Amino acid sequence: NRYAEVHLQAEDYIPLIDIEFEMDPAEVTMPLIEEMHALEPYGMGNPKPKFGWRSLRGSYAQPIGKEHQHLRFRIETMQQSITALAWNKGEYAGLVNAERLDLVYVPELNVWNGHTSIQCMIDDLSPARSERVFPDHAMLGRVYLFLRQLQQEQAIPMDALQLTLRFLAGGQKISLYTMQKALAIFQEIGLLQADLAKEQYMMPPAPKKKLDLMQSAIYRQGIEKQQL
C-alpha cells in the first residue's frame, strides 16, 4: 500500500481492455467476419477478438428495448451505414449524438428478413481524446453556476452523464470528461458533497471568501499537465 501510494498515479487504476488492433469500422467486410468464424468457439481460453477505433462520430443514436436500456446508433462510412449496438448503454444516446468517442467493438453479421448486413457490438465507449478537455477557471465557473441553479430548482443527480446532457441542453458545450473532472474538483475543495443515500449531490452555502482552486490536487495536476 505504501509503495502504491508513492509510485502509482490515478491513471494506473483505470481498467484496460485488450484489443487485437485499431481498425476503422469502415474497413470491416463480410469476408473478414466469416474468417473470424473459423476461430470459434469462443470462451475463456479463446476470447472473442475485439477491435478499437478512436474519435468516431456516431449518428442517429437512440435508446431501444422495453425499458430503453440499450443503445443503437449509426456509423456512416463512404460505402455503407453500419448499425452499432451497446447493451445497457441506453442513457448514452445523447452523448453519442453530441461528441466523438473512442470505442471497443466486435464486428458481427446481422441476418434479418433474408438480408445480411454488418453490425458492430460495442464492448466499451468513452469520450475521445479530443473531448478530454481539462476544465479551466472559466468552465469551472459555468459548471458551478449550473449546479447551483439546478439545486435551487430541484436536485443535483449524482450522475456525471446526466449532468453533462442537461448542461448541453442549456446550449453550452461540455464533454463528459470535462464534467467528471469539474465534479471531482468541487468535491475536493468542499463546494460539492455526495449524499449516497439519496444519490444526489448537495452544495453547501456559498463560501464568504473566494476558494483557491489550487487546493484541489486534481486541479493542480491538470494545470501542470497542460503546462508541460
Side-chain angles (χ1 to χ4, degrees):
N1 286 339
R2 287 195 297 270
Y3 179 90
E5 184 177 354
V6 173
H7 296 280
L8 297 184
Q9 304 297 323
E11 292 79 4
D12 295 317
Y13 294 92
I14 299 175
L16 300 178
I17 300 176
D18 290 329
I19 64 172
E20 303 302 320
F21 49 81
E22 294 186 23
M23 179 170 63
D24 188 341
E27 299 177 4
V28 177
T29 63
M30 291 188 183
L32 171 62
I33 298 177
E34 291 170 353
E35 287 184 21
M36 288 172 56
H37 288 170
L39 303 176
E40 297 176 347
Y42 300 122
M44 184 68 71
N46 184 34
K48 184 175 293 188
K50 299 176 183 178
F51 304 92
W53 192 243
R54 301 178 188 274
S55 197
L56 181 138
R57 172 69 76 179
S59 59
Y60 303 105
Q62 58 181 323
I64 60 173
K66 291 183 178 180
E67 300 178 0
H68 293 174
Q69 71 272 38
H70 307 308
L71 171 67
R72 179 174 62 198
F73 61 94
R74 308 294 296 177
I75 300 174
E76 305 292 344
T77 74
M78 295 293 291
Q79 296 78 23
Q80 59 188 324
S81 179
I82 300 173
T83 297
L85 297 174
W87 304 128
N88 300 311
K89 297 285 187 181
E91 71 274 16
Y92 281 78
L95 189 71
V96 173
N97 290 326
E99 64 182 66
R100 293 183 177 275
L101 302 169
D102 291 346
L103 55 84
V104 175
Y105 70 95
V106 176
E108 293 185 354
L109 292 179
N110 178 46
V111 180
W112 178 256
N113 286 340
H115 176 69
T116 302
S117 61
I118 297 173
Q119 68 180 13
C120 291
M121 303 303 300
I122 306 301
D123 185 87
D124 188 69
L125 51 83
S126 62
R129 181 167 297 178
S130 60
E131 303 286 355
R132 299 174 196 173
V133 179
F134 191 81
D136 58 15
H137 189 277
M139 175 57 76
L140 289 171
R142 290 195 291 272
V143 174
Y144 176 81
L145 293 176
F146 161 74
L147 295 175
R148 181 65 70 183
Q149 181 178 2
L150 199 59
Q151 178 168 266
Q152 292 174 352
E153 295 175 353
Q154 41 187 297
I156 306 174
M158 204 165 66
D159 185 331
L161 175 58
Q162 189 178 153
L163 291 172
T164 300
L165 296 178
R166 290 193 184 188
F167 194 89
L168 291 169
Q172 301 188 80
K173 175 64 177 176
I174 196 172
S175 72
L176 174 60
Y177 174 90
T178 307
M179 178 63 76
Q180 290 171 329
K181 291 298 182 182
L183 296 174
I185 291 169
F186 290 157
Q187 289 183 82
E188 276 197 329
I189 60 178
L191 290 179
L192 199 63
Q193 298 172 354
D195 187 333
L196 299 180
K198 296 182 179 180
E199 296 185 346
Q200 296 176 354
Y201 284 122
M202 298 296 296
M203 301 188 77
K208 295 182 180 180
K209 62 179 181 179
K210 190 174 181 180
L211 292 177
D212 183 8
L213 290 174
M214 295 304 289
Q215 292 179 351
S216 164
I218 295 174
Y219 185 78
R220 291 198 307 271
Q221 292 170 3
I223 295 300
E224 291 171 359
K225 287 183 179 179
Q226 290 181 326
Q227 294 174 346
L228 293 179

